[in-house]
Amino acid sequence: MKSELKPEALVEFVRETYQTNKFIPLHAPTFAGNEKAYVLETIESTFVSSVGKFVDDFERQIETFTGSRKAVATVNGTAALHAALYMAGVARGDLVITQALTFVATCNALYHMGAEPIFVDVSPVSLGLCPKAVDSFLNEYAERTDIGCIHKSTGKKIKAVVPMHTFGHPVELDELVAICLKWNLALVEDAAESLGSFYKGKHTGTIGDFGAVSFNGNKIITTGGGGMVLCKTQQQGARTKHVTTTAKVPHPYEFFHDEPGFNYRMPNLNAALGCAQMEVLEPYLKQKRLLAESYKDFFNGTDFQFVTEPDYAQSNYWLNVVICSEREQRNELLEKTNQAGVMTRPVWQLMHRLPMFEHSICDDLSYSEFIEGHLVNLPSTPLSYQQGKQ
Ligand SMILES: *Cc1c(COP(=O)(O)O)cnc(C)c1O
């Protein structure tokens, strides 16, 4: 027998957890370490922009933490995803399989390459792209040819699969890797939300051909704005660096650029913030696990289902998630908590409902639609790192 839980009880629980009567945000950045010192160092040295040691340091720290062979810092996560898709060979007119349950940045990156999304359902195991759904979509609507995987009814090339690790929970990667091998598709992981999340011991974003991370202000750690492309080889890393920094051929004074490049380089000022944030990532992750544990205990036995990490994964619990049993219950929860100054949010509207993607190819999206109507994100700032509580 499940007990009925009132929104007021959740408000009380969250207030008790954070020990405050003030407004409680969904996820606030916290600067409790060397952030000020490192940022000040860039200002005093005048190296705030495209030259300076923090960008290299930050990239090396991300490589060490994730196990990526080569990490390339960018201005934001969308730019990292754009560059990753470009490196994976996605081109104008191509089709790319992704999920409709994602933040719009995933699809914007595709759109600006001239590529088009195919929306496939998400899995109840991960809330991310469902391998079974991708497999059956390809079996029904695609064929393997000498020039690659072709979408039968439009004759367009399907070039890549882009799963997104929703709210930090890793997707079923072994299955997706096998599908991509079988169909000759690139696998680009949108790991924007999953820094600190591991799939069978490997960091998300390092298993596919390329991965993209975000350091936007609402992510687990922030550089103000920023992103990172995770590459599998030194060679791909070097080329990613080259194309994201105007494709300039090194020379003491001549300007020669050997291909159309992007100006996606992360400024040294932002990287300084990133280096300081990397020093607190491990304690943040521990704090977030404790917070998730306490939400899990709180919702246990109620008519709400708190989402925990899949068996095969260790999640960063970037944003905590609860699934309501009824849509009305979700609406009431959102209304009452926000009214009481405890910030909660529904999930993004599905991508195929947005005007620019409403004519995209869609597979069955029943589970995505269920999640869209029942999911609520809960306050998730790491506990003892709240502003002013250090
Ligand atoms: C945050 C995010 C991005 C990238 O966002 P930026 O704001 O450009 O850094 C991409 N995909 C998803 C799913 C995200 O949540």
Side-chain angles (χ1 to χ4, degrees):
M1 188 55 206
K2 305 240 157 135
S3 69
E4 206 178 300
L5 181 81
K6 291 261 173 283
E8 291 78 7
L10 176 62
V11 167
E12 193 181 326
F13 173 76
V14 175
R15 291 216 168 279
E16 210 150 276
T17 302
Y18 283 100
Q19 292 283 300
T20 179
N21 286 318
K22 298 197 187 113
F23 172 74
I24 299 174
L26 203 60
H27 201 289
T30 47
F31 306 116
N34 288 317
E35 287 85 356
K36 257 189 200 167
Y38 294 174
V39 169
L40 198 62
E41 194 180 321
T42 68
I43 295 170
E44 285 175 344
S45 71
T46 77
F47 290 111
V48 295
S49 185
S50 56
V51 179
K53 71 175 177 98
F54 285 112
V55 174
D56 288 338
D57 284 358
F58 188 38
E59 289 176 344
R60 299 302 82 77
Q61 283 186 55
I62 290 287
E63 284 164 9
T64 305
F65 182 79
T66 62
S68 166
R69 291 300 292 279
K70 194 87 176 77
V72 177
T74 59
V75 283
N76 57 53
T78 311
L81 202 52
H82 191 184
L85 290 164
Y86 178 83
M87 287 296 300
V90 175
R92 194 158 294 280
D94 287 340
L95 297 171
V96 173
I97 295 177
T98 191
Q99 53 203 71
L101 186 94
T102 187
F103 177 57
V104 71
T106 314
C107 296
N108 283 341
L110 283 175
Y111 181 88
H112 290 297
M113 309 226 48
E116 291 169 59
I118 295 175
F119 296 118
V120 172
D121 213 357
V122 293
S123 155
V125 175
S126 68
L127 304 182
L129 194 62
C130 175
K132 281 196 201 103
V134 174
D135 192 45
S136 71
F137 178 87
L138 288 166
N139 284 326
E140 187 157 356
Y141 300 108
E143 62 186 343
R144 277 173 290 175
T145 74
D146 292 346
I147 55 158
C149 177
I150 300 292
H151 180 246
K152 285 190 275 193
S153 66
T154 61
K156 292 185 178 179
K157 243 186 222 170
I158 304 177
K159 254 311 174 37
V161 175
V162 181
M164 195 278 277
H165 304 293
T166 310
F167 302 126
H169 297 298
V171 299
E172 297 146 276
L173 280 162
D174 281 347
E175 292 80 356
L176 287 172
V177 167
I179 291 166
C180 288
L181 277 175
K182 178 177 159 198
W183 289 88
N184 195 17
L185 300 167
L187 181 60
V188 176
E189 294 173 66
D190 183 344
E193 304 182 352
S194 65
L195 181 68
S197 297
F198 294 82
Y199 174 85
K200 297 187 179 172
K202 289 188 190 151
H203 197 279
T204 49
T206 65
I207 293 149
D209 298 293
F210 293 92
V213 179
S214 166
F215 306 107
N216 189 36
N218 63 344
K219 297 302 198 300
I220 185 159
I221 62 166
T222 185
T223 57
M228 195 76 77
V229 185
L230 305 181
C231 308
K232 288 199 105 154
T233 66
Q234 288 286 343
Q235 205 182 7
Q236 284 170 336
R239 213 179 112 60
T240 304
K241 189 71 171 179
H242 184 67
V243 299
T244 54
T245 57
T246 72
K248 183 180 184 297
V249 176
H251 189 280
Y253 48 84
E254 288 291 354
F255 287 97
F256 182 71
H257 306 262
D258 61 0
E259 62 181 304
F262 301 100
N263 179 19
Y264 279 173
R265 187 200 307 269
M266 176 185 281
N268 201 44
L269 188 69
N270 301 77
L273 200 55
C275 285
Q277 290 265 283
M278 278 308 282
E279 295 170 358
V280 292
L281 178 57
E282 295 277 8
Y284 275 23
L285 286 165
K286 286 205 185 82
Q287 290 289 326
K288 287 176 79 70
R289 288 192 81 75
L290 288 175
L291 180 61
E293 275 296 317
S294 76
Y295 273 127
K296 187 180 154 197
D297 292 345
F298 175 77
F299 285 108
N300 191 25
T302 71
D303 49 350
F304 291 82
Q305 183 215 335
F306 181 72
V307 174
T308 53
E309 62 199 358
D311 294 342
Y312 52 73
Q314 186 172 336
S315 301
N316 66 359
Y317 287 98
W318 171 53
L319 286 188
N320 287 292
V321 175
V322 73
I323 312 287
C324 307
S325 48
E326 309 283 341
R327 191 183 266 264
E328 297 69 42
Q329 192 188 34
R330 178 201 79 147
N331 296 346
E332 194 198 359
L333 190 70
L334 287 169
E335 189 63 35
K336 294 253 171 79
T337 49
N338 282 294
Q339 233 167 41
V342 170
M343 187 169 166
T344 58
R345 281 283 179 269
V347 76
W348 319 280
Q349 287 194 29
L350 299 180
M351 291 300 110
H352 70 295
R353 301 195 203 286
L354 303 182
M356 60 287 194
F357 301 119
E358 69 187 359
H359 301 298
S360 304
I361 301 166
C362 281
D363 197 32
D364 171 59
L365 299 173
S366 337
Y367 195 67
S368 304
E369 281 162 3
F370 169 78
I371 290 298
E372 182 187 38
H374 294 75
L375 183 150
V376 173
N377 282 127
L378 306 166
S380 300
T381 307
L383 274 178
S384 61
Y385 285 89
Q386 302 159 74
Q387 216 61 331
K389 282 210 70 201
Q390 253 318 95

